[in-house]
Amino acid sequence: MKIGVLGAGQLGRMLALAGVPLGLQFRFYDPAPDSPASEIAEQVVANYNDWDALTRFAEGLDVITYEFENIPVETVTFLEQFASMFPPLDALRASQDRLTEKRTLLTLGIPTPHFDAVESWTELEETALRIGLPAVLKTRRFGYDGKGQAVLRTQEDLQGAWQTLGGSPLILEGFISFERELSLIGVRGRDSDTRFYPLVENHHREGILRLTVAPAPNVTAELQTQAERHLNTLMQTLNYVGVLTLEFFEQNGRLIANEMAPRVHNSGHWTIEGAETSQFENHLRAIGGFPLGSIRPRNASLMYNCIGEMPERDVVLAVPGAHLHDYGKLPRPKRKVGHLTLCGFPEELERHRTTVEELIT
Ligand code: AMP
């Protein structure tokens, strides 16, 4: 079976690394040459509106998937004539626009922060009054890793935020003073079989994920069920196939959805060594129409992103239980160039945690 992947970043690379042992073949599509996935499999280098290149890409593919959500909808629609496309277009569409995304969640009874669209300065003033401060102003599209957003704490912050972000369609959200951020990764097969990994706890700095603790500590059965209920509703409504991630804020035992990602997710990298079947393998099993694998964690994991530059390989590999993933990217500030997962019994993790944290900037 040959799988086409739109996007050839590190998520694509890890999909291929999980799929090759299963006998799957891969072809990637990405406008950027020398991408992380191109070291593992063939890549068509062209823009997403190059219909000839897309036709060449699709030749001989059995299934097509994507590893990031900013693929133009027209590209996906065009490719649907050649092969099955998973996850479905509706999921992609919903996740591309924060307003459509929040409306979808709200319609399904999944709690979100208060939100409204902002199209003009007057609307920003009115919406800020209605929702109240603090609030978060975000671009509706193309925001990631904390980019394209500003926290409004006082009335004076409105002007500056409008000057920076006002050129794009915006959404204003109420600020949630959460206790912690959690995410849930689920996978749904073509036959509707659905499985959920345990909730994980995510720590961000400067809007970028730094650490995932898996499974999240102090999760009651009720909290896990609450998260699964929300994600399951979303999956069923979208007739979803593949891995789907839902990010939450936890506040007083209640989960408030922040965003969804219709793809494998950074907060699931720990599953490569820390779960019986990784999110990457389970995504491929789902879209390929194969039985899903066990989502059971093997033990506890701490996943650290390497931001800007990689730590010394020899030093990391000397730490018991540490697993290094170098995406082969050039060092650059704020760029995710790799990750490191520390796996083991909780007391082992505590013993080596400080050593690892000193290696990660
Ligand atoms: P996002 O790009 O929407 O995932 O936002 C990046 C990070 O900003 C989140 O992981 C939160 O730490 C923070 N954030 C986003 N939206 C809100 C909100 N409504 N209330 C509080 N913090 C938020």
Side-chain angles (χ1 to χ4, degrees):
M1 178 180 282
K2 190 151 188 160
I3 298 182
V5 185
L6 296 166
Q10 63 264 21
L11 299 177
R13 177 186 171 107
M14 288 185 270
L15 277 172
L17 287 171
V20 169
L22 305 183
L24 303 174
Q25 295 179 316
F26 291 85
R27 183 183 297 145
F28 289 87
Y29 193 100
D30 199 304
D34 305 321
S35 63
S38 65
E39 280 185 18
I40 318 283
E42 58 181 291
Q43 183 194 335
V44 175
V45 181
N47 289 325
Y48 286 115
N49 59 359
D50 183 336
W51 312 116
D52 289 340
L54 286 166
T55 308
R56 244 184 304 127
F57 164 74
E59 199 180 319
L61 295 180
D62 299 290
V63 186
I64 304 177
T65 188
Y66 46 89
E67 57 116 55
F68 89 124
E69 56 268 41
N70 286 322
I71 310 279
V73 165
E74 307 77 63
T75 305
V76 173
T77 315
F78 177 77
L79 286 171
E80 275 181 333
Q81 65 183 304
F82 300 106
S84 314
M85 173 72 73
F86 300 114
L89 190 57
D90 280 350
L92 184 73
R93 217 182 256 125
S95 70
Q96 286 186 343
D97 181 338
R98 290 187 194 274
L99 186 66
T100 320
E101 179 181 49
K102 293 246 155 44
R103 282 184 178 153
T104 306
L105 296 170
L106 194 67
T107 315
L108 297 175
I110 301 170
T112 66
H114 292 303
F115 66 91
D116 216 339
V118 168
E119 302 270 341
S120 65
W121 166 249
T122 321
E123 261 183 31
L124 175 59
E125 283 188 305
E126 285 168 6
T127 314
L129 262 183
R130 197 167 54 251
I131 289 180
L133 298 184
V136 191
L137 188 64
K138 299 181 180 179
T139 54
R140 279 171 54 180
R141 296 174 64 90
F142 305 121
Y144 69 100
D145 286 349
K147 289 187 187 128
Q149 57 178 275
V151 179
L152 313 178
R153 296 193 185 276
T154 64
Q155 202 61 27
E156 287 73 62
D157 292 339
L158 266 65
Q159 190 69 51
W162 177 253
Q163 263 161 19
T164 320
L165 303 174
S168 320
L170 302 171
I171 180 172
L172 188 71
E173 295 177 12
F175 185 90
I176 308 292
S177 31
F178 52 80
E179 283 115 39
R180 57 176 175 168
E181 293 187 73
L182 299 167
S183 59
L184 184 71
I185 297 182
V187 58
R188 188 167 187 263
R190 288 209 213 177
D191 59 358
S192 309
D193 183 20
T194 306
R195 300 179 187 201
F196 301 99
Y197 289 94
L199 276 166
V200 298
E201 184 179 299
N202 299 318
H203 298 258
H204 297 83
R205 206 170 66 232
E206 296 169 322
I208 305 175
L209 180 69
R210 304 287 163 152
L211 164 66
T212 295
V213 184
N218 306 318
V219 169
T220 58
E222 195 281 320
L223 199 70
Q224 177 77 25
T225 308
Q226 198 184 130
E228 291 185 9
R229 201 177 54 240
H230 295 326
L231 188 52
N232 197 36
T233 306
L234 195 54
M235 282 178 150
Q236 283 184 1
T237 308
L238 295 168
N239 206 8
Y240 201 84
V241 174
V243 160
L244 179 64
T245 309
L246 201 46
E247 293 180 39
F248 298 103
F249 302 127
E250 184 186 4
Q251 194 181 41
N252 302 325
R254 186 162 168 264
L255 294 174
I256 301 166
N258 174 32
E259 63 180 355
M260 60 182 271
R263 55 169 168 79
V264 285
H265 194 256
N266 196 172
S267 69
H269 291 0
W270 67 274
T271 59
I272 298 176
E273 293 90 8
E276 284 185 4
T277 315
S278 78
Q279 61 163 348
F280 300 99
E281 182 174 333
N282 258 336
H283 181 73
L284 297 169
R285 288 181 182 226
I287 65 170
F290 304 113
L292 301 181
S294 161
I295 44 65
R296 207 149 58 97
R298 292 184 195 278
N299 39 31
S301 303
L302 297 172
M303 190 289 304
Y304 295 89
N305 272 333
C306 306
I307 310 292
E309 56 180 355
M310 288 301 293
E312 289 288 330
R313 185 192 296 140
D314 314 27
V315 186
V316 173
L317 297 184
V319 180
H323 301 270
L324 189 64
H325 296 258
D326 185 336
Y327 306 152
K329 288 162 104 174
L330 288 175
R332 197 200 288 161
K334 299 195 170 179
R335 191 180 214 194
K336 290 175 185 167
V337 291
H339 76 265
L340 184 167
T341 306
L342 193 58
C343 277
F345 295 111
E347 54 281 10
E348 288 174 320
L349 298 192
E350 278 316 308
R351 206 171 323 133
H352 300 300
R353 185 175 183 152
T354 332
T355 318
V356 166
E357 288 179 0
E358 277 166 7
L359 300 172
I360 302 283
T361 46

